Amino acid sequence: MSTSVSLYRSARLPLAALLIAAAMPWFLSEYTQSLLVNILIYAIFALSLELLVGTTGLVSLGHAAFSGVAAYVTALLMEVTGPGDMLLVLPAAMLGAGAYALFVGALSLRTRGVYFIMVTLAFAQMAFFIFHDTAIGGGSDGMYLSSRPSLALAGKVLIDLESPQQFYFFTLACLAVTYALLAVLLRSRFGRALAGIRLNEQRMRAVGFPTYGYKLAAFVIAGMLAGLAGFLMAARTGVVNPELLSWHESGAVLLMLILGGLGSLRGAVIGAAAFILLKEFYSSEAVFGPFALHWQMSLGVTMILCVALLPHGLIGLRFPLKLRSGLRAKQGVTHG
Amino acid sequence: MELSIFLVQCLNAIQYGLLLFLVASGLTLIFGIMGVINLAHGSFYMIGAYMAYALAPFFGDQFLLQMAVGVVLSVAFGFVLEWAFFSYLYQRNHLQQVLMTYSLILVFEEARSMLAGNDVHGVAIPAWLAGSIRLGDVMQYPIYNLFASAACIVVAIGLYLVVNRTRLGMMIRAGASNRDMVRGLGINIRLLYRIVFAAGVALAALAGMIAAPVSSVYPGMGGQILIICFVVVVIGGIGSISGALIAALLVGFVDTFGKVFFAQFSGLSIYLLMAVILIWRPQGLISKGY
């Protein structure tokens, strides 16, 4: 199978999905569109974690720290720069998240397994307390953005996130870029090395890969991409608060991954969509009446059942069909 | 700092550290023996605290009896939970355990909110433990806090004796170091797991019951203690109960004195401690390896 054919095959579905998503604003109500924007943002967030959990096998339970830090950097910079210049704010947000990821990654990657899970969670909580206990970001109340970021070149406004339409397309573009970037990354030597680390780190080290450096690089890239999601979260709601960094947020994005299916990029996107829609469904009073208040209960039970019955996630649902048609024998195990 | 204030802060630190030890030792037992990473462990602490809140009106001043009833209830709860839920988690990988127990937290939190609402509730100190004693020339120290420390010490000694001096403890230690060997020796591993799990639940719930009159009961208390316990386990070294004790006291002192000296950044102190320990000894103070 030549590379171009396999690339075409694996890009077919995502491209179709992108086209459909791009046509959506002409069909959807304002409410549905804003729900969709939320899904797109969380898809970026989930994709960034997929690089760690699905590809490299690093179960991080503190991923919300990076999107949260970026959201705060966005809000703080918007305060200084006035009507924010996206050329400044967006890179700063991503770099801020990346810097924190470098700090957390450098320390937590000295541990492994369950230890790593605990350490990432603890450092995320540390970031939570930085914003919760100090006056930097308005304490537990958080802070409001004075305006939304916009991109202007030579006095001409190119992208203005105040407009819901432009916000939608900008977010969709961000998701597409993230997806493409990760797809290329996973096919590169770097991505193969990460997958090798997931399968057998000791062997990778023995072969001569500096695995610590590879894992740290993956951690920082994932942190920066989570920062992109954080920037969009802040810009979408116009408000940031410490809850963005809470470990419930980190747990939720991990649930999205397993719900969609680990080890594939489209799984992360599907999982984010399914999770947000499930949450929306369970908290809908029209369906559940007063019990809608207790949507966390329904969500929790659903997730327990999902992990128990669908260990490969929603994307795994199609595997039984493939098995029957004997495709597995031809293809082997694919990643993508 | 005046000596008496220093002494009071030391007592506070010890009390907090011992309480953390009770919760963290349960976490460490469950992970060390059964290999289950249990995010819902903080919920057991919360359940204990709410149990104290719910039981208090029935028992009045019969505080010790109330605690005994609470322990029996939490052991029963632990047995049922292990049978109905956790026994399915043993053969799963860590990621799935994380997700399942995280989902379980959502269920517990929502159940708490349905049963007890989202307000902060105070729990009264029984009359015979109310009041305070003089310490030094000017300081007063609440009797209940001393009682809490003493209760934790009694439990910790009991735990030590059970683990190191009994047949059950021997099996537990064997299970922690080589699970397959224990199974191979024909020990009823299912029952052993169930006992260890119920004991872990009871330890966390007991800590919650002891803490309730001091810290009151509130939503989110489970998650808060869980994360601090993770810090304790990381510092102490995984699966090591003596490591958990040292680390819990260390965290107790750092947190308490952090609040005294750097009030604004008090939340950070224990995480900085963890960072330093990770640089120095990534495997924790007393480690048995990964």
Side-chain angles (χ1 to χ4, degrees):
Chain A
M1 192 164 17
S2 77
T3 321
S4 61
V5 170
S6 86
L7 208 67
Y8 165 72
R9 274 209 186 134
S10 58
R12 213 165 33 179
L13 260 174
L15 278 178
L18 178 66
L19 283 178
I20 294 172
M24 278 300 172
W26 282 279
F27 301 104
L28 295 179
S29 68
E30 211 167 295
Y31 165 76
T32 330
Q33 188 179 324
S34 100
L35 186 67
L36 203 51
V37 166
N38 205 21
I39 290 175
L40 296 177
I41 295 176
Y42 274 96
I44 298 175
F45 196 21
L47 277 174
S48 72
L49 188 60
E50 161 66 25
L51 180 66
L52 289 182
V53 182
T55 309
T56 323
L58 294 168
V59 182
S60 162
L61 194 47
H63 209 53
F66 310 122
S67 59
V69 165
Y72 267 97
V73 170
T74 306
L76 290 167
L77 273 181
M78 296 289 288
E79 197 137 272
V80 182
T81 59
D85 184 353
M86 215 194 314
L87 271 182
L88 171 74
V89 178
L90 178 55
M94 289 178 72
L95 285 175
Y100 192 63
L102 185 64
F103 166 74
V104 174
L107 285 169
S108 53
L109 286 170
R110 292 168 64 85
T111 68
R112 60 200 69 226
V114 178
Y115 247 37
F116 182 79
I117 298 174
M118 294 181 178
V119 172
T120 47
L121 175 59
F123 278 126
Q125 203 62 12
M126 174 172 146
F128 174 85
F129 278 120
I130 291 177
F131 292 109
H132 188 271
D133 287 3
T134 65
I136 305 171
S140 58
D141 294 332
M143 58 194 296
Y144 289 91
L145 275 69
S146 46
S147 62
R148 294 207 156 71
S150 58
L151 179 66
L153 270 182
K156 193 168 178 292
V157 177
L158 297 177
I159 303 171
D160 184 7
L161 294 187
E162 289 290 353
S163 143
Q165 299 293 341
Q166 295 200 23
F167 195 100
Y168 179 85
F169 285 114
F170 180 72
T171 309
L172 186 60
C174 286
L175 175 59
V177 169
T178 305
Y179 193 100
L181 186 82
L182 286 176
V184 170
L185 200 74
L186 292 184
R187 282 172 175 74
S188 70
R189 187 184 136 86
F190 176 70
R192 302 287 182 205
L194 294 183
I197 289 171
R198 181 187 75 235
L199 293 170
N200 192 337
E201 186 178 350
Q202 244 168 351
R203 185 172 294 175
M204 289 300 284
R205 215 174 6 223
V207 172
F209 282 93
T211 55
Y212 179 83
Y214 273 82
K215 288 193 290 183
L216 188 57
F219 202 87
V220 172
I221 294 171
M224 288 177 75
L225 290 176
L228 173 61
F231 166 83
L232 291 167
M233 285 174 196
R236 183 177 102 94
T237 54
V239 55
V240 293
N241 59 46
E243 287 308 307
L244 282 174
L245 294 97
S246 76
W247 68 294
H248 291 282
E249 194 81 357
S250 302
V253 67
L254 211 49
L255 284 180
M256 289 175 195
L257 278 188
I258 201 89
L259 186 58
L262 214 55
S264 81
L265 296 179
R266 61 191 67 167
V269 177
I270 292 170
F275 188 89
I276 303 274
L277 291 176
L278 261 184
K279 194 169 153 181
E280 194 70 17
F281 174 63
Y282 284 136
S283 55
S284 136
E285 270 185 54
V287 184
F288 287 92
F291 196 73
L293 266 180
H294 305 295
W295 59 269
Q296 294 210 46
M297 175 81 85
S298 341
L299 190 67
V301 172
T302 310
M303 294 316 304
I304 289 172
L305 291 175
C306 275
V307 181
L309 305 175
L310 287 176
H312 302 291
L314 291 173
I315 209 166
L317 282 175
R318 69 200 168 99
F319 279 143
L321 296 170
K322 277 198 166 179
L323 282 180
R324 237 169 283 148
S325 59
L327 263 175
R328 194 180 68 146
K330 277 188 228 160
Q331 281 191 334
V333 179
T334 53
H335 185 109
Chain B
M1 188 189 273
E2 219 176 306
L3 184 66
S4 50
I5 300 177
F6 176 75
L7 275 177
V8 165
Q9 294 301 345
C10 283
L11 285 174
N12 283 338
I14 290 170
Q15 190 227 321
Y16 182 46
L18 287 168
L19 211 58
L20 281 180
F21 168 69
L22 286 199
V23 188
S25 60
L27 191 71
T28 256
L29 266 182
I30 291 174
F31 180 75
I33 314 282
M34 300 185 272
V36 172
I37 163 106
N38 176 22
L39 294 192
H41 199 72
S43 299
F44 303 149
Y45 172 81
M46 174 196 79
I47 289 169
Y50 274 86
M51 206 146 61
Y53 166 67
L55 290 177
F58 298 104
F59 288 88
D61 266 358
Q62 301 282 11
F63 191 62
L64 294 177
L65 184 64
Q66 178 196 322
M67 289 231 277
V69 170
V71 168
V72 170
L73 285 177
S74 51
V75 166
F77 176 68
F79 255 77
V80 173
L81 200 63
E82 201 274 352
W83 168 75
F85 186 78
F86 277 84
S87 54
Y88 299 100
L89 289 183
Y90 302 142
Q91 60 274 53
R92 301 262 176 175
N93 64 34
H94 287 155
L95 177 62
Q96 290 178 329
Q97 292 170 352
V98 163
L99 292 168
M100 295 270 227
T101 52
Y102 176 81
S103 306
L104 203 58
I105 294 179
L106 297 181
V107 173
F108 283 146
E109 278 293 321
E110 209 54 66
R112 189 239 346 113
S113 127
M114 286 157 93
L115 293 171
N118 289 323
D119 298 328
V120 178
H121 300 290
V123 177
I125 295 172
W128 59 282
L129 289 170
S132 49
I133 53 164
R134 290 187 73 84
L135 203 79
D137 297 332
V138 280
M139 295 304 291
Q140 302 275 331
Y141 198 76
I143 293 174
Y144 184 82
N145 291 39
L146 289 178
F147 165 81
S149 295
C152 290
I153 290 172
V154 169
V155 176
I157 292 174
L159 186 65
Y160 173 84
L161 289 177
V162 168
V163 170
N164 289 295
R165 294 274 188 278
T166 64
R167 200 178 145 71
L168 175 68
M170 194 174 70
M171 288 192 268
I172 289 175
R173 277 177 291 140
S177 47
N178 194 332
R179 229 179 304 168
D180 297 327
M181 185 72 86
V182 171
R183 198 177 285 129
L185 286 172
I187 287 165
N188 185 345
I189 203 101
R190 289 220 85 107
L191 185 64
L192 179 68
Y193 277 14
R194 211 155 280 175
I195 290 171
V196 170
F197 186 81
V201 174
L203 282 170
L206 184 63
M209 280 186 272
I210 293 173
V214 185
S215 67
S216 66
V217 301
Y218 53 94
M221 65 189 300
Q224 204 178 0
I225 197 106
L226 176 79
I227 290 156
I228 301 173
C229 279
F230 276 7
V231 174
V232 167
V233 170
V234 167
I235 290 176
I238 238 160
S240 157
I241 293 193
S242 52
L245 178 60
I246 296 168
L249 288 172
L250 199 57
V251 167
F253 270 91
V254 168
D255 188 68
T256 306
F257 283 93
K259 282 197 176 90
V260 175
F261 290 116
F262 315 99
Q264 233 218 328
F265 290 96
S266 59
L268 293 185
S269 52
I270 60 167
Y271 302 102
L272 294 178
L273 175 71
M274 183 177 81
V276 171
I277 302 266
L278 279 174
I279 292 169
W280 176 43
R281 284 180 73 92
Q283 71 279 49
L285 293 176
I286 297 181
S287 86
K288 299 175 173 174
Y290 291 114

